[in-house]
Amino acid sequence: MAPPAAPGPVSVGIANLPNQRHKIVSRKGASYNIMVVGESGLGKTTFINTLFSALMRDYKRPEQRFAKQLDRTVQIDVVRADIEEKGFNVRLSVIDTPGFGDYANNTDCWVPIVQFLDEQHQHILNHETVPNRKTDDLRVHACLYFIQPTGHTLKPLDIEVMKHLCTRVNLIPVIAKADTITPADMLAFKDRIRDCISTHNIQVFTPAVHSEDEDATRRNTSILAAMPFSVIASENDVQVNGQTVRGRQYLWGVAEVENEAHCDFKKLRNLLIRTHMHDLITTTHDHHYETHRVAKLTASGRSDDDPALQARRGFEAKMKEEEAELRKKFTEQVRLEENRFRQWEQKLISERDRLNEDLDKQHSLVKQLEEELEEIIAARKR
Ligand SMILES: Nc1nc2c(ncn2[C@@H]2O[C@H](COP(=O)(O)OP(=O)(O)OP(=O)(O)O)[C@@H](O)[C@H]2O)c(=O)[nH]1
Ligand SMILES: [Mg+2]
């Protein structure tokens, strides 16, 4: 049996884009933002540090950290790293939000987070109508909602917050501290959460299951079956059978972060970074941003009939036309050049054939002269 292949560099999903899009993304680079939300003390910050330590191990890129003030009391922390694979640049930002649930009244605890999400869409919308549209894009492409591992079901607060989030972002529910619940309880807990999500009509990010590619179909089915993802987070390395792994040490043994029998951290990381990054970016732009754009423009009376928008669309249409014209000219030029080369090649081939014929004639002549010479010498000898 062939030895197993050595683990290669991690493949960012964006490297699998079709050629055209491939080039655009590789040139411009893509902003890719993940946010963690949930009650206080569920391990959101620890999860981000665990994720980054795994990413830094794979990409060996320095990370940057900075804080941003949302309103007078709420601050978010952003951990950022530029990761690059096969020429693709991805500016990954993970946004850490303060946990809610610390206060007796948590009624509006989600408001600053929702405001932040809306502001990021608005920021891009405002930039759409200015000539230089290049700007820092902090629109959230994946929002991980941390659920307390109670083993029962979602709390009313979870349901309320998730309802507000799911209309604005790709929502991915995550069960925190999977090491505190038995595997059998976890399965039943996941079932109850899925039921609750469907009863309350909460839209969670669902990758399309059917694809031409059998591997992708199998992968997506297994992702879907694992939702909501259970995670174990840890900032410490521990020893398991002489190997160093990320995990949490207990008297009875080790809860390993990247062991798929212990939790779904690896599945979640693969979905976020490898297999569904492009899907998350596209749905954010095409669905969530578009919903915000239409709602805002309609509310402010600026429908699609708005003159400024029409002017911009006209400009874009003109640019597209010019691009198509240039492409046509280029193709025609290439065709003409190809014809010219083909004719030239044909000429060279005929010239080569003519010279070969001449050479054959000269060879026959030399041969004939040699025979005559031999005959004369033979006559003289006689
Ligand atoms: N058992 C267990 N403990 C965890 C896990 N992840 C984090 N913790 C612990 O939970 C505690 C809180 O973790 P944080 O990462 O600060 O939680 P947080 O969600 O960021 O909390 P806030 O910032 O207050 O919202 C720490 O003591 C962590 O070590 C886990 O997967 N399992
Ligand atoms: Mg925290």
Side-chain angles (χ1 to χ4, degrees):
M1 209 173 78
V10 184
S11 185
V12 175
I14 216 130
N16 303 324
L17 300 183
N19 261 347
Q20 194 59 21
R21 186 112 185 100
H22 212 93
K23 279 184 197 145
I24 297 169
V25 176
S26 92
R27 190 160 27 87
K28 284 189 186 167
S31 287
Y32 180 52
N33 308 315
I34 300 170
M35 181 185 245
V36 296
V37 178
E39 267 186 75
S40 184
L42 290 184
K44 298 182 294 298
T45 306
T46 316
F47 171 84
I48 292 177
N49 293 337
T50 312
L51 180 70
F52 264 84
S53 82
L55 293 180
M56 292 309 110
R57 182 191 61 208
D58 293 333
Y59 295 100
K60 301 188 178 54
R61 288 302 174 95
E63 63 188 48
Q64 311 125 40
R65 290 175 184 256
F66 62 91
K68 208 170 153 73
Q69 200 72 31
L70 289 198
D71 60 24
R72 261 186 299 137
T73 53
V74 182
Q75 175 187 302
I76 55 166
D77 295 312
V78 183
V79 191
R80 180 174 272 180
D82 292 326
I83 55 178
E84 187 210 325
E85 207 230 26
K86 291 184 197 155
F88 294 96
N89 299 308
V90 179
R91 163 162 285 207
L92 169 69
S93 302
V94 183
I95 304 163
D96 192 4
T97 59
F100 39 76
D102 276 349
Y103 309 101
N105 180 7
N106 292 307
T107 326
D108 292 337
C109 58
W110 44 269
V111 170
I113 292 165
V114 160
Q115 270 174 356
F116 173 81
L117 296 172
D118 288 347
E119 274 166 19
Q120 303 321 306
H121 283 315
Q122 191 58 38
H123 181 65
I124 299 296
L125 183 58
N126 293 343
H127 269 75
E128 265 203 35
T129 41
V130 299
N132 179 8
R133 285 196 274 154
K134 204 166 176 281
T135 180
D136 197 19
D137 185 359
L138 259 185
R139 280 178 297 179
V140 174
H141 302 106
C143 176
L144 308 184
Y145 186 83
F146 277 62
I147 300 164
Q148 193 181 351
T150 58
H152 305 302
T153 184
L154 292 178
K155 298 176 184 181
L157 182 63
D158 292 328
I159 297 169
E160 191 188 354
V161 179
M162 285 170 90
K163 272 187 172 174
H164 286 287
L165 293 174
C166 76
T167 53
R168 295 171 161 88
V169 275
N170 290 316
L171 183 63
I172 301 179
V174 168
I175 300 172
K177 303 188 181 180
D179 52 318
T180 62
I181 193 166
T182 66
D185 287 348
M186 179 61 84
L187 284 181
F189 188 35
K190 280 189 175 189
D191 270 346
R192 279 194 286 270
I193 294 174
R194 276 194 287 261
D195 281 351
C196 190
I197 282 174
S198 114
T199 309
H200 289 91
N201 223 350
I202 296 167
Q203 306 298 316
V204 294
F205 174 69
T206 315
V209 167
H210 297 291
S211 146
E212 305 259 299
D213 177 355
E214 273 183 31
D215 275 350
T217 307
R218 213 173 306 121
R219 206 171 48 218
N220 289 348
T221 312
S222 118
I223 285 173
L224 219 61
M227 284 241 201
F229 299 97
S230 60
V231 296
I232 297 171
S234 169
E235 285 168 0
N236 300 316
D237 287 336
V238 287
Q239 293 292 317
V240 176
N241 301 327
Q243 286 206 325
T244 308
V245 295
R246 250 315 128 109
R248 302 185 80 89
Q249 180 84 57
Y250 293 102
L251 283 175
W252 46 264
V254 169
E256 293 172 53
V257 168
E258 300 205 29
N259 185 333
E260 295 201 49
H262 294 189
C263 73
D264 306 317
F265 177 88
K266 214 167 161 183
K267 277 202 182 90
L268 177 58
R269 190 189 79 178
N270 283 350
L271 170 126
L272 292 173
I273 307 295
R274 283 191 212 170
T275 55
H276 288 79
M277 185 193 274
H278 177 229
D279 211 3
L280 289 160
I281 293 176
T282 323
T283 43
T284 299
H285 187 79
D286 296 350
H287 178 59
H288 297 296
Y289 172 68
E290 195 54 23
T291 307
H292 174 91
R293 192 184 74 84
V294 171
K296 281 289 156 184
L297 295 184
T298 313
S300 64
R302 282 179 67 184
S303 65
D304 281 355
D305 306 330
D306 181 83
L309 272 184
Q310 278 186 348
R312 194 173 65 73
R313 295 225 169 102
F315 175 71
E316 280 177 355
K318 201 164 156 244
M319 292 296 283
K320 263 195 193 137
E321 246 172 51
E322 279 177 14
E323 196 186 319
E325 188 60 34
L326 271 177
R327 195 171 295 133
K328 210 168 121 194
K329 270 191 192 156
F330 177 73
T331 316
E332 180 60 17
Q333 192 69 29
V334 169
R335 201 182 58 78
L336 288 176
E337 284 297 301
E338 268 177 3
N339 271 348
R340 205 165 65 82
F341 274 113
R342 221 168 281 131
Q343 282 172 7
W344 187 44
E345 191 185 14
Q346 209 51 52
K347 236 170 144 183
L348 282 178
I349 290 170
S350 341
E351 185 65 9
R352 185 197 60 195
D353 291 349
R354 194 187 58 77
L355 287 172
N356 277 343
E357 239 173 64
D358 272 5
L359 201 63
D360 282 349
K361 274 187 197 154
Q362 296 301 324
H363 271 150
S364 316
L365 195 62
V366 168
K367 213 171 167 195
Q368 195 190 333
L369 286 172
E370 275 173 357
E371 282 170 6
E372 282 177 19
L373 188 64
E374 270 172 25
E375 269 175 30
I376 293 171
I377 293 169
R380 268 208 197 141
K381 277 186 186 161
R382 266 187 253 131

